[in-house]
Amino acid sequence: MLPRSRTLPARINHGEVEERHDVKHYFQVDVQPKHQKETEPINIQTNYSKCFDDDGRLKRTGTFWTATSHIITAVIGSGVLSLAWAIGQLGWVAGPAVMILFAFVILYTSNLLSQCYRTGDPANGPRNHTYTEAVKGILGGKKVKVCGLIQYLNLFGVAIGYTIAASVSMLAIKRSNCFHKSHRRDPCHMSSNGYMIAFGVIEILFSQIPDFDQVWWLSIVAAIMSFTYSTVGLVLGIAKVAENKSFKGSLTGISIGTVTYVGTVTSTQKLWRSLQALGAIAFAYSFSIILIEIQDTIKSPPAEHKTMKKASMLSIGVTTIFYLLCGCMGYAAFGDDAPGNLLTGFGFFDPYWLLDIANAAIVIHLIGAYQVYCQPLFAFVEKWSAKKWSNSNFVTAEHGIRIPLFGVYQLNFFRVIWRTIFVILTTIIAMLLPFFNDVVGLLGALGFWPLTVYFPIEMYIKQKKIGRWTNQWIGLQMLSAACLFVSIAAAVGSIAGVVLDLKTYKPFNTTY
């Protein structure tokens, strides 16, 4: 039987067992041995403690490996495909250096944030189940609303970006087979709208998975797919370099005067493109917005922040190596012509089957990544609705439906309708704004400083009671200020890219 949705109220509040007449419908209390005397009292609290954590929720079962798979699924996303382009704008010196710098910043601030999962004592303090709850419990005030708005808008934007990326990969498979069948005589121009709709239908089905902790298997599959297409891109990049018998590119990045699909690169455009590249790299590393939600799936002991620190270190270390290899080999293969999506740069020729495998892996990965990012947003809306309309059966009631070979699925009508509407909305917006590079850069810019740097630093300072103007406080504030500048610069560059793309854009009429 699937567990009761964790978006509904807990059964234990402040150590007291909540009276529920339907408790056996959700949880079977351990059967006492037959030889036990009828007069012996049954310790209900002990029975509950076996299956519920200190906050009244079902026992967490996540481990170092499941947390690592969640992070890799979130980090090695479609952003890896734009890294060759990003390095192409910055050049051989600044490109890899910026990537490594981002890795260290993300790792450091992620460790700070993981220590804010529990308020006060990082091992035994009250839990914060979401990023917003952590801000509320530690900082409070208006910062909670600001944080929630930024976080959920960013998650909404990521869903749009992943829909665009998945449709491009699905379209690439169709076009490569078209090229092969026509012996390269047919240009095979096609619209991406149908593929966005198909991806949306798939996500509507997977979005009905009730809770974040129930998508662990999807994260593991998605993580495997991440390595699959990243490896294919790396291998093809190496093969292209071997074919060229040289490394393309320059120390300073794309040259002024290079002709692209939107025109000739001017000195001003080179500046915008360099700033946009910062946003693309930030997006490629972004997972802090769901770090607390991932940590909330980890069992204890040991303390959750210790497991999360190890998982973050391994995940970011592995992904940085992959990023450097894929980005650098992609730039070495194409130079100034490095594409926004690495796999599309290899064309649709032989080995077309290998490109098909890579693009299929991207689609499968993005199906899982979409859920990893959207489940926290789903949970927020459903918890808020359950509180506001607590007496509405439409919002709070769950109906058990037995599914053969699967178990009992707890159907909630509000969850089905609201999540379906959400997926439809993200799909429509993706069809309106199919600018992969620009969307990626803008999302990275908007989410990087506030969610990855500012709030983790401010919460850590408050949590550890670090005094103003101490050396540690000054160092943390300097890091925050530097990252703010990077976010503003990346946002400006990405907006300039969107404006440039709009000059040749027609709504719902995007073809490749």
Side-chain angles (χ1 to χ4, degrees):
M1 180 186 294
L2 285 177
R4 182 173 187 263
S5 174
R6 279 167 45 186
T7 60
L8 295 182
R11 297 196 196 105
I12 301 179
N13 294 310
H14 306 294
E16 297 294 329
V17 179
E18 182 183 317
E19 291 292 335
R20 295 189 62 88
H21 299 292
D22 60 342
V23 66
K24 281 183 178 285
H25 179 70
Y26 299 112
F27 166 66
Q28 185 69 38
V29 178
D30 292 348
V31 178
Q32 299 297 316
K34 290 184 178 180
H35 64 270
Q36 184 178 14
K37 295 181 180 180
E38 292 184 2
T39 56
E40 286 186 17
I42 298 174
N43 191 335
I44 298 177
Q45 186 70 40
T46 300
N47 279 323
Y48 269 82
S49 66
K50 291 179 181 178
C51 287
F52 294 92
D53 275 324
D54 53 6
D55 60 345
R57 299 195 176 197
L58 290 170
K59 282 280 188 183
R60 276 82 172 169
T61 58
T63 63
F64 163 78
W65 293 110
T66 60
T68 300
S69 68
H70 279 316
I71 297 171
I72 290 176
T73 299
V75 178
I76 303 184
S78 57
V80 68
L81 301 175
S82 64
L83 291 179
W85 179 89
I87 292 180
Q89 312 314 306
L90 299 172
W92 280 116
V93 176
V98 168
M99 198 175 296
I100 293 173
L101 185 60
F102 267 96
F104 276 110
V105 171
I106 296 290
L107 179 60
Y108 181 70
T109 57
S110 295
N111 289 336
L112 299 184
L113 182 58
S114 68
Q115 296 182 59
C116 300
Y117 170 62
R118 291 180 181 267
T119 302
D121 185 352
N124 301 305
R127 297 174 187 264
N128 297 304
H129 307 109
T130 66
Y131 193 117
T132 307
E133 281 188 25
V135 175
K136 181 179 180 180
I138 298 173
L139 298 178
K142 295 181 179 179
K143 292 181 179 179
V144 179
K145 294 182 179 179
V146 174
C147 172
L149 179 63
I150 295 173
Q151 182 190 16
Y152 296 126
L153 280 177
N154 201 268
L155 293 175
F156 182 72
V158 168
I160 296 170
Y162 280 1
T163 302
I164 296 171
S167 70
V168 171
S169 293
M170 294 165 77
L171 187 63
I173 295 173
K174 183 69 175 178
R175 290 190 68 196
S176 68
N177 286 278
C178 173
F179 265 85
H180 185 69
K181 289 180 180 178
S182 67
H183 301 287
R184 310 177 186 178
R185 288 191 293 267
D186 187 344
C188 299
H189 292 303
M190 301 175 185
S191 172
S192 62
N193 290 340
Y195 297 97
M196 290 189 188
I197 293 172
F199 183 78
V201 171
I202 294 171
E203 290 302 342
I204 287 174
L205 297 176
F206 278 102
S207 291
Q208 304 314 315
I209 298 174
D211 289 316
F212 192 49
D213 60 339
Q214 294 173 28
V215 300
W216 62 268
W217 60 272
L218 194 58
S219 274
I220 291 175
V221 172
I224 294 171
M225 294 300 104
S226 299
F227 286 114
T228 299
Y229 68 74
S230 298
T231 302
V232 170
L234 174 60
V235 169
L236 291 176
I238 294 172
K240 187 74 173 178
V241 171
E243 180 185 328
N244 296 337
K245 297 181 179 179
S246 65
F247 280 72
K248 292 188 176 182
S250 65
L251 296 178
T252 57
I254 192 169
S255 305
I256 296 174
T258 300
V259 179
T260 66
Y261 73 98
V262 291
T264 304
V265 176
T266 63
S267 57
T268 302
Q269 288 178 9
K270 177 173 172 58
L271 174 61
W272 298 143
R273 291 164 75 98
S274 297
L275 297 179
Q276 186 180 341
L278 297 178
I281 296 174
F283 177 80
Y285 276 109
S286 177
F287 81 98
S288 296
I289 54 177
I290 58 171
L291 183 145
I292 296 293
E293 285 79 354
I294 292 174
Q295 194 167 343
D296 193 41
T297 67
I298 298 174
K299 64 182 179 181
S300 61
E304 299 87 354
H305 75 277
K306 293 182 179 179
T307 303
M308 197 65 189
K309 181 178 181 179
K310 294 177 182 178
S312 298
M313 187 174 298
L314 176 61
S315 302
I316 294 175
V318 170
T319 53
T320 299
I321 293 172
F322 257 78
Y323 280 1
L324 285 170
L325 290 172
C326 290
C328 291
M329 292 311 300
Y331 183 44
F334 297 104
D336 286 349
D337 296 324
N341 183 328
L342 177 61
L343 292 177
T344 62
F346 298 105
F348 302 100
F349 308 126
D350 294 328
Y352 79 97
W353 57 268
L354 186 59
L355 286 167
D356 284 354
I357 291 174
N359 281 299
I362 292 173
V363 175
I364 295 172
H365 167 260
L366 291 176
I367 289 172
Y370 187 104
Q371 292 303 315
V372 169
Y373 273 96
C374 291
Q375 284 289 338
L377 177 55
F378 293 157
F380 167 75
V381 172
E382 286 153 23
K383 285 179 182 177
W384 180 85
S385 300
K387 284 184 179 180
K388 187 170 181 64
W389 297 290
S390 58
N391 295 324
S392 170
N393 287 333
F394 173 75
V395 176
T396 61
E398 291 189 336
H399 309 276
I401 299 177
R402 186 170 296 280
I403 302 176
L405 305 177
F406 182 73
V408 177
Y409 176 76
Q410 301 297 338
L411 176 68
N412 176 271
F413 291 118
F414 175 76
R415 180 170 63 230
V416 170
I417 294 174
W418 126 253
R419 294 189 183 190
T420 300
I421 292 173
F422 173 87
V423 175
I424 291 173
L425 183 60
T426 59
T427 303
I428 291 173
I429 295 176
M431 293 165 67
L432 278 170
L433 298 171
F435 312 135
F436 177 69
N437 265 18
D438 299 324
V439 169
V440 162
L442 188 57
L443 289 174
L446 295 178
F448 175 64
W449 177 72
L451 299 176
T452 302
V453 181
Y454 174 75
F455 283 113
I457 285 178
E458 291 300 309
M459 285 192 288
Y460 182 78
I461 289 174
K462 184 74 173 292
Q463 185 96 313
K464 296 297 182 180
K465 299 178 181 179
I466 299 173
R468 281 177 172 270
W469 307 113
T470 60
N471 290 338
Q472 189 176 8
W473 185 89
I474 293 173
L476 289 171
Q477 296 299 334
M478 289 176 65
L479 174 62
S480 181
C483 291
L484 171 61
F485 174 77
V486 171
S487 277
I488 293 173
V492 171
S494 297
I495 292 171
V498 171
V499 171
L500 193 62
D501 281 335
L502 286 173
K503 294 181 180 179
T504 58
Y505 164 71
K506 294 180 180 179
F508 298 107
N509 191 29
T510 303
T511 57
Y512 293 90

